[in-house]
């Protein structure tokens, strides 16, 4: 067999000295053997291990290891070495395993360095953010130098995940969300990127209607109890709708309470749209029914002891009216057309 020969003593002589070396074929019929445990593909610039595996040996013999990388002897002599591929390339390894008899064998393996993707994505609204309830669109812009396919995992920070190149999502709460995208190559090399997006609140719009009953005008107070959505927002403008072709636009004080008068009776659909400093808007609707009431009656003069018939001439344009009569003698009635018998003669001021 092939052996490494070492001379341990050297003597300078005038004459050549010859050494006779006898190598017995049977001495290394059972050399130690091993394989190299190594992934065929690793991610560039990430440390990986090269390991001695599946050792076969004579139990009484000590083992020794020499490592070669791309044909160059390495200083490492252990069972595991750590290496790194700085760029996508190939490294070849050779392991010499031998014992104290000098018996040895070789094992070989190679590894390919694979590129790492660069993760990236963009949001369609960018830094402007999104109004609550609108659709967020996220587009994967990841790349890899060999243009191989990528597997992506989206984590949208509210428990929602995705795997498509473009994902859409509607958030249900106004907040800052940290969007994470993990891109992985076919060899398991991955990269992660995280970007924040803002989901802005909508204004909380609410108002109450208070009609004014003065029998002559058709007016109402609109009591505004709205707010901007949260403490970081502010209302920038308001648009009131008081009915068809009857709209008022307010900017100076969008949260003020308004009084509005109409020229016609009937049901009016009221709307209030508020916008905040993020450009987010919401609308609240209500309605008010307006009508005029004409109050009138007549009654004849009668003789003491006879009934006075009060004839109600009032007109209510809508609803079911109710009546209250004061007969001027500390007596009252809620009938529509009451009758009254006075017990004392005289003149009485009657109110309906």
């Amino acid at each position: 067999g092939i052996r490494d020969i070492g001379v341990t003593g050297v003597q300078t002589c005038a004459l050549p000295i010859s050494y006779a070396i006898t190598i017995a074929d049977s001495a290394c019929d059972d050399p130690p053997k091993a394989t190299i445990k190594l992934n065929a593909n690793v991610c560039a610039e990430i440390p990986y291990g090269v390991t001695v595996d599946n050792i076969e040996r004579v139990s009484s013999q000590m083992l020794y290891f020499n490592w070669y990388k791309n044909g160059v002897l390495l200083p490492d002599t252990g069972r595991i070495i750590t290496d790194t591929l700085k760029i996508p390339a190939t490294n070849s390894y050779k392991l010499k395993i031998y014992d104290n008899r000098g018996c040895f064998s070789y094992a070989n393996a190679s590894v390919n360095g694979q590129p790492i993707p660069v993760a990236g994505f963009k949001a369609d609204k960018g830094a402007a953010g999104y109004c609550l309830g609108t659709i967020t669109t996220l587009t994967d812009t990841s790349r890899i130098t060999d243009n191989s396919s990528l597997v992506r995992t989206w984590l949208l920070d509210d428990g929602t995940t995705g795997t498509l190149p473009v994902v859409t999502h509607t958030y249900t709460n106004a907040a800052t969300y940290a969007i994470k995208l993990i891109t992985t190559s076919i060899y398991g090399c991955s990269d992660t990127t995280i970007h924040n997006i803002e989901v802005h609140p909508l204004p909380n719009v609410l108002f109450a209607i208070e009609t004014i009953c003065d029998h002559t005008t058709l007016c109402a107070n609109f009591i505004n109890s709205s707010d901007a959505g949260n403490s970081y927002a502010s209302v920038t403008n308001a648009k009131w709708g008081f009915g068809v072709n009857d709209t008022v636009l307010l900017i100076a004080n969008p949260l003020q309470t308004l009084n509005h008068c109409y020229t016609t009776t009937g049901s009016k659909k009221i709307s209030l749209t508020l916008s905040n400093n993020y450009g987010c808007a919401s609308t609240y609707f209500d309605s008010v029914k307006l009508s005029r009431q004409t109050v009138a009656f007549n009654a004849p003069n009668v003789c003491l002891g006879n009934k006075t018939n009060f004839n109600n001439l009032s007109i209510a344009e809508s609803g079911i009216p109710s009546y209250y009569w004061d007969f001027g003698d500390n007596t009252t009635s809620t009938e529509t057309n009451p009758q009254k018998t006075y017990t004392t003669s005289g003149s009485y001021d009657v109110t309906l």
Side-chain angles (χ1 to χ4, degrees), residues 141-217:
T141 60
S142 304
R143 63 188 186 279
I144 189 168
T145 55
D146 63 358
N147 295 319
S148 59
S149 61
L150 296 173
V151 175
R152 58 197 58 79
T153 301
W154 296 91
L155 303 174
L156 303 187
D157 201 21
D158 68 344
T160 305
T161 62
T163 57
L164 297 176
V166 178
V167 296
T168 58
H169 184 57
T170 302
Y171 288 94
T172 57
N173 293 293
T176 300
Y177 293 91
I179 309 301
K180 179 186 290 187
L181 173 62
I182 305 169
T183 53
T184 306
S185 73
I186 57 176
Y187 298 106
C189 304
S190 65
D191 187 35
T192 300
T193 186
I194 300 175
H195 296 295
N196 290 344
I197 66 166
E198 299 290 337
V199 177
H200 304 303
L202 299 176
N204 297 313
V205 186
L206 184 65
F207 61 85
I209 302 173
E210 180 183 74
T211 56
I212 301 173
C213 297
D214 62 5
H215 310 299
T216 57
T217 60

Side-chain angles (χ1 to χ4, degrees), residues 8-289:
T8 58
V10 178
Q11 183 178 7
T12 304
C13 301
L15 298 174
I17 298 175
S18 299
Y19 294 89
I21 300 174
T22 301
I23 301 175
D25 291 339
S26 62
C28 289
D29 288 342
D30 55 353
K33 298 178 182 180
T35 60
I36 297 176
K37 183 179 180 180
L38 176 63
N39 290 330
N41 295 282
V42 298
C43 303
E45 302 182 10
I46 296 179
Y48 60 90
V50 186
T51 307
V52 178
D53 198 17
N54 298 322
I55 295 176
E56 298 178 13
R57 57 178 290 180
V58 175
S59 60
S60 62
Q61 299 295 311
M62 295 291 292
L63 294 180
Y64 307 92
F65 307 98
N66 290 139
W67 290 97
Y68 299 82
K69 173 184 172 181
N70 299 327
V72 178
L73 178 66
L74 300 176
D76 308 83
T77 58
R79 295 193 180 199
I80 300 175
I81 63 172
T82 301
D83 205 353
T84 304
L85 278 169
K86 297 297 183 182
I87 58 173
T90 299
N91 281 340
S92 296
Y93 297 93
K94 182 177 181 179
L95 170 67
K96 177 184 178 181
I97 178 172
Y98 61 97
D99 59 23
N100 52 353
R101 299 175 301 165
C103 301
F104 64 90
S105 64
Y106 291 98
N108 296 277
S110 62
V111 60
N112 296 310
Q114 302 298 337
I116 298 175
V118 178
F121 68 89
K122 63 180 181 180
D124 59 323
K125 294 293 182 65
Y130 299 83
C131 295
L132 184 64
T134 59
I135 296 175
T136 301
T137 301
L138 305 171
T139 303
D140 180 16
T141 60
S142 304
R143 63 188 186 279
I144 189 168
T145 55
D146 63 358
N147 295 319
S148 59
S149 61
L150 296 173
V151 175
R152 58 197 58 79
T153 301
W154 296 91
L155 303 174
L156 303 187
D157 201 21
D158 68 344
T160 305
T161 62
T163 57
L164 297 176
V166 178
V167 296
T168 58
H169 184 57
T170 302
Y171 288 94
T172 57
N173 293 293
T176 300
Y177 293 91
I179 309 301
K180 179 186 290 187
L181 173 62
I182 305 169
T183 53
T184 306
S185 73
I186 57 176
Y187 298 106
C189 304
S190 65
D191 187 35
T192 300
T193 186
I194 300 175
H195 296 295
N196 290 344
I197 66 166
E198 299 290 337
V199 177
H200 304 303
L202 299 176
N204 297 313
V205 186
L206 184 65
F207 61 85
I209 302 173
E210 180 183 74
T211 56
I212 301 173
C213 297
D214 62 5
H215 310 299
T216 57
T217 60
L218 297 172
C219 298
N221 291 326
F222 299 92
I223 303 169
N224 193 347
S225 57
S226 306
D227 62 65
N230 64 22
S231 59
Y232 302 103
S234 59
V235 175
T236 55
N237 62 70
K239 183 178 182 181
W240 284 92
F242 294 109
V244 178
N245 300 322
D246 197 1
T247 299
V248 176
L249 179 66
L250 300 174
I251 296 177
N253 186 7
L255 294 180
Q256 73 185 61
T257 292
L258 295 182
N259 173 267
H260 186 73
C261 296
Y262 292 86
T263 58
T264 59
T265 61
S267 181
K268 308 294 183 180
K269 185 176 182 180
I270 313 301
S271 65
L272 172 59
T273 300
L274 295 182
S275 300
N276 61 24
N277 56 314
Y278 298 115
C280 303
S282 55
T283 301
Y284 177 74
F285 295 95
D286 204 345
S287 61
V288 61
K289 195 169 186 178

